[in-house]
Amino acid sequence: MGLQYRDRAVYLDDTLVLADLHFGKGATSTVEFPLGAGEDAVDRLEALCEHFDPAEVVLAGDVFHSFDYVPDEAERALRAVSRTVRDAGARLVVLEGNHDTMLDSVYDGQLHREYELSTADAAGDDPDATADGDRTTVVCHGHEEPETPADRYVIGHDHPAIEIEGQKRPCFLVGAGAYRGADVVVVPAFNRLVEGVSVNGRIRTARPELSPMVTGVAAFRPVVYDETSEETLEFPPLGQFDRML
């Protein structure tokens, strides 16, 4: 089975991957948010675990927002995530992002820079492809180049969103062979208080990419999960799609 997209997370085989929770972001702002990011994330993660029943859940970096301290709300949110994953019968895998300088001070589990798993969906996103054995997938945050070679990388870091008819929506970005011949899948920020970076705007800038693994954003296909219809909407490569908007 190929990739499945749902609520700012991606599921492949028995692994659920989400990134950029940025717990504690509200504590660094003078704005009062009506929505508690920690509680919201935990509720949505619980729903995702019920839907997919994953064997493991991977947090692909930037679990925390602040670089120099951990607000109490952020630590509570991480504990709640750990409890939710454990109650779902899954294994929690935590990766460090560029914001996670304080993560090891409150999380006593193993931390990873990148995490490798094998998937049996060699056809992947290409409906014309044929299964020819397992594909290697590496999950990393995406702020630096990975050390482990893979057929596909799943990353966060960039917080992609797309503007369609004046409305900004979080989106996934899928690039076939985009990084040294490997596929790259960029997941949006799981924290709904994190404003997404418009990929439309990146096309028109001199330096459109943020991650060193996204070196040609025009070739990436935007994928939007519509919460109302529970449908996945896949679009042409951004270079082509942007001209239609």
Side-chain angles (χ1 to χ4, degrees):
M1 181 177 292
L3 303 177
Q4 297 182 63
Y5 308 94
R6 191 177 183 88
D7 188 16
R8 305 189 183 211
V10 65
Y11 180 75
L12 54 160
D13 276 1
D14 289 331
T15 303
L16 180 69
V17 180
L18 49 147
D20 298 290
L21 293 98
H22 285 278
F23 288 144
K25 177 176 171 58
T28 66
S29 173
T30 58
V31 178
E32 279 194 29
F33 293 103
L35 179 68
E39 294 86 349
D40 176 67
V42 170
D43 289 344
R44 289 160 50 223
L45 174 58
E46 183 176 3
L48 285 166
C49 288
E50 290 177 358
H51 181 82
F52 289 117
D53 189 24
E56 58 186 7
V57 175
V58 178
L59 308 184
D62 281 6
V63 177
F64 292 153
H65 183 71
S66 177
F67 292 96
D68 52 5
Y69 78 108
V70 180
D72 290 342
E73 66 182 67
E75 186 174 357
R76 287 195 299 269
L78 179 56
R79 286 201 302 267
V81 163
S82 299
R83 183 169 57 250
T84 298
V85 173
R86 182 177 63 249
D87 291 347
R91 173 175 176 259
L92 180 64
V93 178
V94 181
L95 277 63
E96 294 178 288
N98 55 301
H99 276 252
D100 291 321
T101 56
M102 301 295 294
L103 183 56
D104 61 354
S105 69
V106 296
Y107 182 70
D108 58 5
Q110 183 178 4
L111 295 174
H112 304 260
R113 300 297 293 180
E114 49 197 57
Y115 180 70
E116 180 179 351
L117 56 126
S118 291
T119 62
D121 63 333
D125 297 300
D126 185 356
D128 297 322
T130 56
D132 58 358
D134 288 355
R135 300 183 73 199
T136 301
T137 296
V138 166
V139 183
C140 53
H141 183 58
H143 63 297
E144 57 188 10
E145 296 191 65
E147 296 182 359
T148 307
D151 299 303
R152 173 172 55 205
Y153 295 94
V154 179
I155 69 173
H157 184 59
D158 278 359
H159 311 165
I162 190 166
E163 293 186 39
I164 303 175
E165 297 181 344
Q167 183 178 3
K168 181 184 283 188
R169 295 170 176 264
C171 73
F172 303 84
L173 293 177
V174 181
Y179 177 74
R180 298 183 179 179
D183 297 346
V184 177
V185 180
V186 188
V187 300
F190 196 71
N191 186 335
R192 293 197 288 187
L193 299 182
V194 174
E195 183 179 5
V197 178
S198 171
V199 292
N200 312 61
R202 289 191 203 179
I203 283 284
R204 308 182 189 104
T205 63
R207 175 68 171 88
E209 294 84 19
L210 294 179
S211 169
M213 301 179 68
V214 183
T215 55
V217 70
F220 280 70
R221 294 187 295 107
V223 176
V224 175
Y225 175 75
D226 186 274
E227 295 183 3
T228 302
S229 64
E230 296 189 345
E231 292 181 332
T232 298
L233 309 175
E234 301 192 24
F235 298 97
L238 192 58
Q240 176 184 348
F241 182 57
D242 192 55
R243 292 193 295 269
M244 304 175 184
L245 298 177

